[in-house]
CSV table of all heavy atoms in Angstrom, one decimal:
chain,number,residue,atom,x,y,z
A,96,THR,N,-78.8,-24.1,-41.9
A,96,THR,CA,-77.8,-24.8,-42.8
A,96,THR,C,-78.4,-26.1,-43.2
A,96,THR,O,-78.3,-26.5,-44.3
A,96,THR,CB,-76.5,-25.1,-42.0
A,96,THR,OG1,-75.9,-23.8,-41.5
A,96,THR,CG2,-75.4,-25.8,-42.8
A,97,ARG,N,-79.1,-26.8,-42.2
A,97,ARG,CA,-79.7,-28.1,-42.6
A,97,ARG,C,-80.8,-27.9,-43.6
A,97,ARG,O,-81.0,-28.6,-44.5
A,97,ARG,CB,-80.3,-28.6,-41.2
A,97,ARG,CG,-81.2,-29.8,-41.5
A,97,ARG,CD,-80.6,-31.0,-42.1
A,97,ARG,NE,-79.7,-31.7,-41.2
A,97,ARG,CZ,-79.9,-32.7,-40.5
A,97,ARG,NH1,-81.0,-33.3,-40.5
A,97,ARG,NH2,-79.0,-33.3,-39.6
A,98,ALA,N,-81.6,-26.8,-43.4
A,98,ALA,CA,-82.7,-26.5,-44.4
A,98,ALA,C,-82.1,-26.2,-45.7
A,98,ALA,O,-82.6,-26.7,-46.8
A,98,ALA,CB,-83.5,-25.3,-43.9
A,99,MET,N,-81.1,-25.5,-45.9
A,99,MET,CA,-80.5,-25.2,-47.2
A,99,MET,C,-80.0,-26.5,-47.8
A,99,MET,O,-80.1,-26.7,-49.0
A,99,MET,CB,-79.4,-24.2,-47.0
A,99,MET,CG,-78.7,-23.8,-48.4
A,99,MET,SD,-79.9,-23.1,-49.6
A,99,MET,CE,-80.0,-21.4,-49.0
A,100,THR,N,-79.3,-27.4,-47.0
A,100,THR,CA,-78.8,-28.6,-47.5
A,100,THR,C,-79.9,-29.4,-48.1
A,100,THR,O,-79.8,-30.0,-49.1
A,100,THR,CB,-78.1,-29.3,-46.3
A,100,THR,OG1,-77.0,-28.5,-45.8
A,100,THR,CG2,-77.4,-30.6,-46.7
A,101,GLU,N,-81.1,-29.5,-47.4
A,101,GLU,CA,-82.2,-30.2,-47.9
A,101,GLU,C,-82.7,-29.7,-49.2
A,101,GLU,O,-82.9,-30.4,-50.2
A,101,GLU,CB,-83.4,-30.2,-46.8
A,101,GLU,CG,-83.1,-31.0,-45.6
A,101,GLU,CD,-84.3,-30.8,-44.6
A,101,GLU,OE1,-85.3,-30.2,-44.9
A,101,GLU,OE2,-84.1,-31.5,-43.5
A,102,TYR,N,-82.8,-28.4,-49.3
A,102,TYR,CA,-83.3,-27.8,-50.5
A,102,TYR,C,-82.4,-28.0,-51.7
A,102,TYR,O,-82.9,-28.4,-52.7
A,102,TYR,CB,-83.4,-26.2,-50.3
A,102,TYR,CG,-84.1,-25.5,-51.4
A,102,TYR,CD1,-85.4,-25.2,-51.4
A,102,TYR,CD2,-83.3,-25.1,-52.6
A,102,TYR,CE1,-86.0,-24.5,-52.6
A,102,TYR,CE2,-83.9,-24.5,-53.7
A,102,TYR,CZ,-85.2,-24.1,-53.6
A,102,TYR,OH,-85.7,-23.4,-54.7
A,103,VAL,N,-81.1,-27.8,-51.4
A,103,VAL,CA,-80.1,-27.9,-52.6
A,103,VAL,C,-80.1,-29.5,-52.9
A,103,VAL,O,-80.1,-29.8,-54.1
A,103,VAL,CB,-78.7,-27.5,-52.1
A,103,VAL,CG1,-77.6,-27.9,-53.1
A,103,VAL,CG2,-78.8,-26.0,-52.0
A,104,THR,N,-80.1,-30.4,-52.0
A,104,THR,CA,-80.0,-31.8,-52.3
A,104,THR,C,-81.3,-32.2,-53.1
A,104,THR,O,-81.2,-32.9,-54.1
A,104,THR,CB,-79.9,-32.6,-51.0
A,104,THR,OG1,-78.8,-32.1,-50.3
A,104,THR,CG2,-79.7,-34.1,-51.3
A,105,PHE,N,-82.4,-31.7,-52.7
A,105,PHE,CA,-83.7,-32.1,-53.3
A,105,PHE,C,-83.6,-31.6,-54.8
A,105,PHE,O,-84.0,-32.3,-55.7
A,105,PHE,CB,-84.8,-31.4,-52.6
A,105,PHE,CG,-86.1,-31.4,-53.3
A,105,PHE,CD1,-86.8,-32.5,-53.5
A,105,PHE,CD2,-86.7,-30.2,-53.7
A,105,PHE,CE1,-88.1,-32.6,-54.2
A,105,PHE,CE2,-88.0,-30.1,-54.3
A,105,PHE,CZ,-88.6,-31.3,-54.5
A,106,GLN,N,-83.2,-30.3,-55.0
A,106,GLN,CA,-83.3,-29.7,-56.4
A,106,GLN,C,-82.2,-30.3,-57.2
A,106,GLN,O,-82.5,-30.6,-58.5
A,106,GLN,CB,-83.1,-28.2,-56.3
A,106,GLN,CG,-84.2,-27.4,-55.6
A,106,GLN,CD,-85.7,-27.6,-56.2
A,106,GLN,OE1,-85.8,-28.1,-57.2
A,106,GLN,NE2,-86.7,-26.9,-55.5
A,107,VAL,N,-81.0,-30.6,-56.7
A,107,VAL,CA,-80.0,-31.3,-57.4
A,107,VAL,C,-80.6,-32.7,-57.9
A,107,VAL,O,-80.4,-33.1,-59.1
A,107,VAL,CB,-78.7,-31.5,-56.7
A,107,VAL,CG1,-77.7,-32.4,-57.4
A,107,VAL,CG2,-78.1,-30.1,-56.5
A,108,LEU,N,-81.2,-33.5,-57.0
A,108,LEU,CA,-81.8,-34.7,-57.3
A,108,LEU,C,-82.8,-34.6,-58.4
A,108,LEU,O,-82.9,-35.5,-59.3
A,108,LEU,CB,-82.3,-35.5,-56.1
A,108,LEU,CG,-81.3,-36.0,-55.1
A,108,LEU,CD1,-81.9,-36.4,-53.8
A,108,LEU,CD2,-80.7,-37.3,-55.8
A,109,ARG,N,-83.7,-33.6,-58.3
A,109,ARG,CA,-84.7,-33.4,-59.3
A,109,ARG,C,-84.2,-33.3,-60.7
A,109,ARG,O,-84.5,-33.9,-61.7
A,109,ARG,CB,-85.5,-32.2,-59.0
A,109,ARG,CG,-86.7,-32.3,-58.0
A,109,ARG,CD,-87.5,-31.0,-57.9
A,109,ARG,NE,-88.1,-30.7,-59.2
A,109,ARG,CZ,-87.7,-29.7,-60.0
A,109,ARG,NH1,-86.9,-28.9,-59.6
A,109,ARG,NH2,-88.4,-29.5,-61.1
A,110,LEU,N,-83.0,-32.4,-60.8
A,110,LEU,CA,-82.5,-32.2,-62.1
A,110,LEU,C,-81.8,-33.4,-62.6
A,110,LEU,O,-81.8,-33.8,-63.8
A,110,LEU,CB,-81.6,-30.9,-62.1
A,110,LEU,CG,-82.2,-29.6,-61.7
A,110,LEU,CD1,-81.3,-28.4,-61.9
A,110,LEU,CD2,-83.5,-29.4,-62.5
A,111,HIS,N,-81.0,-34.0,-61.7
A,111,HIS,CA,-80.3,-35.3,-62.0
A,111,HIS,C,-81.1,-36.4,-62.5
A,111,HIS,O,-80.8,-37.1,-63.4
A,111,HIS,CB,-79.5,-35.7,-60.7
A,111,HIS,CG,-79.0,-37.1,-60.8
A,111,HIS,ND1,-77.9,-37.4,-61.7
A,111,HIS,CD2,-79.1,-38.2,-60.0
A,111,HIS,CE1,-77.6,-38.7,-61.5
A,111,HIS,NE2,-78.4,-39.2,-60.6
A,112,LEU,N,-82.4,-36.4,-61.9
A,112,LEU,CA,-83.2,-37.6,-62.2
A,112,LEU,C,-84.2,-37.2,-63.3
A,112,LEU,O,-85.2,-37.9,-63.6
A,112,LEU,CB,-84.0,-38.0,-61.0
A,112,LEU,CG,-83.2,-38.6,-59.9
A,112,LEU,CD1,-83.9,-38.9,-58.6
A,112,LEU,CD2,-82.5,-40.0,-60.4
Side-chain angles (χ1 to χ4, degrees):
T96 305
R97 170 60 70 97
M99 182 59 83
T100 302
E101 287 176 2
Y102 183 98
V103 168
T104 306
F105 168 67
Q106 298 295 359
V107 167
L108 282 169
R109 278 187 60 249
L110 299 190
H111 168 61
L112 295 171

